[in-house]
Amino acid sequence: MDGHELVERLRRVVGDRWLLLDEHDLRTYESDGLLQYQQVPRLAVLPGTGGQVRECVALCAEAGVPWVARGAGSGLSGGALPVKDGVLIVLSRLNRILEVDLDNGRVCVEPGVTNAAVSTAVAPDFFYPPDPSSQIVCTIGGNVAENSGGAHCFKYGFTTNYVTGLEVVLPDGELVTIGGKELDTPGYDLLGAFVGSEGTLGVATKIWLRVVPVPEATRTLVAFFDSTRQAGAAVSAIVQAGIVPGAIEMMDATTIRATEEMAHAGYPVGRGAALLVELDGAEAECDAQFTQVTEICVAQGSDDVRVSRDEAERALFWKTRKSAFPAMGRISPNYFVQDGVVPRTTLPDVLVRIDELAAEYGLVVANVFHAGDGNLHPLVCFDAAVEGQAARAEELAGRILDVCLEAGGSITGEHGVGVDKRKHMAKMFGEDDLAAFQRLRCAFDPEGRANPGKVMPTPRLCGEVPGVYRQHPLEAAGLAERF
């Protein structure tokens, strides 16, 4: 099948309106939330059903053309970056909630359903715990691909803890079902392998999720400190006291200033750190632990602890935290987001080291993160209009990941590897580990068509000697000639 035939057959599958060929239309999809990497795809299709997704993938397989699945494009690692001469499969039209079964705590959705829409669908008695800051726009399909977390992941866990089943289109166009409504199925944990695989093993067209009852009580406070070191010590003290907050989030001085300009929550600009702590559970337990958390914050140096008086003020606290990324645009024209993880007890020292690196590079780094599990989100601020600043910011972001690894942590907690962090994978994994990852990928996608160029530090074809890269035959042939 040549390129022109592929285009016409895709057109017959999705309809003329949902096949995009003009560069003006395609530029909408040239990057995800990480704007540092951009690539206009050769074409994009917007299937309206799972069956159409399967047909599109099957046609790509027949033509030998690579493809990338994309949801809302809110990812922050370049995981949905298009392939120059491939097909972009946009899943935003698959946005139906197919089933709500609260008796069994299950919801079945299509991949284009937004994260927040799941909790809305099961309210007021149930909710869906994984809650990325972008939850009003990010989609469940993307959450599955990246194994997304969120503010409440410390107590409740990540996406992988809530996906019970998937309907998946494999890279050859075969449709398979992994898991289902049941919590755990016999046999190999293919579900665990697929969640977090960043679109390299196939594309989910139907997703079964577990939802949980809304807790009886919720208590929320924000405590202000003179330094992130004090706030970090408070985090460790809270956890060491045996308290497991529903969420525990930290913002530094730069982030406080940016978010206050946007949310107007009355936060004291100039303070070194803000610690947002939310407890949930049984009423009596919440009350007792809330008093204990307040006392710990004061003991660690906080002289300003504010307790939400009602749901409106609680929502304002959370609006302030979740507006951190967009608010940063008020103080910097550009920023580079990282996503390293460190052991919780190393937070104070790691934050000091990040400040030292920022001074060394002459750039501002704002810190906002999930403090409970040590998942850092340093935002390296820069001005792309100034020659060399973008490259310096990217280099600094890489140095911050090195600090995380030196502290015994990881290069990513919830944003994925994508294009951005693949070059760092070899710092964390040995060649045997990377080869094992590749063998798993090849079991699902022996031709390497699904989201190529992501995750692995060195592109490989299946069966090659680890560490030796042979040019892919599609590259050698010049895939652009197909279109």
Side-chain angles (χ1 to χ4, degrees):
M1 183 194 313
D2 63 22
H4 297 292
E5 183 181 355
L6 174 61
V7 169
E8 291 310 310
R9 291 178 67 177
L10 287 171
R11 193 191 309 275
R12 288 199 293 270
V13 172
V14 301
D16 188 63
R17 178 182 177 186
W18 305 112
L19 175 71
L20 305 181
L21 295 169
D22 293 338
E23 183 176 354
H24 178 76
D25 295 324
L26 294 171
R27 283 203 174 277
T28 301
Y29 307 106
E30 68 181 355
S31 70
D32 60 10
L34 185 65
L35 302 180
Q36 280 78 2
Y37 299 96
Q38 299 178 359
Q39 177 61 64
V40 178
R42 179 65 59 171
L43 65 87
V45 291
L46 285 78
T49 67
Q52 289 183 359
V53 174
R54 187 195 63 76
E55 290 185 77
C56 290
V57 171
L59 286 172
C60 289
E62 186 178 345
V65 171
W67 52 270
V68 175
R70 175 190 170 102
S74 60
L76 293 167
S77 65
L81 187 73
V83 177
K84 178 181 178 181
D85 295 314
V87 173
L88 187 68
I89 302 175
V90 183
L91 302 171
S92 55
R93 294 178 63 209
L94 276 71
N95 57 8
R96 297 177 299 162
I97 295 177
L98 302 174
E99 181 185 11
V100 176
D101 179 7
L102 295 184
D103 289 339
N104 292 299
R106 297 290 183 271
V107 177
C108 184
V109 303
E110 291 182 320
V113 171
T114 63
N115 178 285
V118 178
S119 285
T120 300
V122 300
D125 298 324
F126 287 78
F127 77 111
Y128 179 64
D131 58 342
S133 294
S134 59
Q135 66 182 141
I136 62 172
V137 293
C138 69
T139 60
I140 293 298
N143 293 172
V144 169
E146 303 294 336
N147 189 23
S148 301
H152 288 84
C153 61
F154 176 57
K155 178 176 182 178
Y156 288 99
F158 291 74
T159 299
T160 190
N161 303 112
Y162 294 90
V163 177
T164 66
L166 295 169
E167 180 184 87
V168 175
V169 177
L170 297 180
D172 63 357
E174 181 183 359
L175 186 70
V176 299
T177 299
I178 305 171
K181 277 190 174 185
E182 60 270 34
L183 189 59
D184 193 16
T185 53
Y188 295 113
D189 185 15
L190 297 179
L191 197 63
F194 192 90
V195 177
S197 61
E198 303 192 29
T200 63
L201 305 185
V203 53
T205 52
K206 191 181 294 184
I207 303 161
W208 284 269
L209 301 171
R210 179 171 67 94
V211 293
V212 299
V214 170
E216 178 186 2
T218 302
R219 302 283 185 271
T220 310
L221 67 79
V222 59
F224 297 96
F225 298 82
D226 289 331
S227 69
T228 53
R229 177 175 288 278
Q230 288 177 322
V235 172
S236 291
I238 289 169
V239 177
Q240 288 169 5
I243 300 170
V244 183
I248 183 164
E249 300 284 297
M250 191 190 300
M251 299 189 296
D252 69 2
T254 302
T255 309
I256 292 171
R257 174 163 64 91
T259 55
E260 178 58 22
E261 290 179 8
M262 185 171 184
H264 307 293
Y267 284 12
V269 175
R271 296 305 300 268
L275 195 64
L276 177 64
V277 183
E278 182 163 280
L279 298 172
D280 59 17
E283 189 93 36
E285 180 185 19
C286 270
D287 287 341
Q289 290 188 341
F290 199 72
T291 299
Q292 194 175 357
V293 167
T294 303
E295 291 172 349
I296 289 172
C297 288
V298 171
Q300 295 298 327
S302 175
D303 57 1
D304 186 358
V305 179
R306 305 182 186 184
V307 179
S308 63
R309 293 162 293 187
D310 50 33
E311 182 57 32
E313 189 166 24
R314 173 179 176 264
L316 183 58
F317 286 175
W318 278 112
K319 177 185 177 183
T320 304
R321 163 59 185 91
K322 293 199 172 188
S323 66
F325 284 12
M328 211 55 60
R330 292 176 175 265
I331 64 173
S332 177
N334 308 96
Y335 60 82
F336 201 105
V337 183
Q338 266 305 355
D339 176 44
V341 182
V342 298
R344 185 174 50 251
T345 54
T346 68
L347 274 174
D349 291 336
V350 168
L351 291 172
V352 168
R353 182 63 183 132
I354 290 174
D355 286 342
E356 292 172 349
L357 286 172
E360 177 184 333
Y361 279 78
L363 297 171
V364 172
V365 177
N367 288 287
V368 53
F369 53 94
H370 311 312
D373 54 357
N375 187 186
L376 300 170
H377 293 321
L379 294 93
V380 182
C381 300
F382 67 96
D383 186 348
V386 178
E387 185 176 356
Q389 269 205 15
R392 200 156 75 251
E394 186 171 359
E395 182 180 334
L396 172 54
R399 291 282 300 278
I400 290 173
L401 289 183
D402 291 341
V403 170
C404 293
L405 290 174
E406 290 163 6
S410 166
I411 63 172
T412 181
E414 57 180 345
H415 293 175
V417 176
V419 173
D420 176 38
K421 292 192 280 291
R422 63 183 179 180
K423 58 182 173 290
H424 300 288
M425 284 284 279
K427 298 176 181 177
M428 185 171 178
F429 298 104
E431 190 57 53
D432 288 346
D433 299 315
L434 295 173
F437 296 161
Q438 183 69 1
R439 285 195 292 271
L440 173 64
R441 182 172 184 171
C442 290
F444 284 82
D445 183 21
E447 299 299 324
R449 297 193 189 99
N451 207 12
K454 314 294 168 57
V455 183
M456 297 299 288
T458 304
R460 302 185 182 107
L461 290 175
C462 297
E464 287 188 333
V465 177
V468 178
Y469 174 53
R470 173 169 55 86
Q471 187 180 33
H472 195 290
L474 295 180
E475 296 173 352
L479 189 59
E481 297 175 4
R482 292 181 176 273
F483 298 94

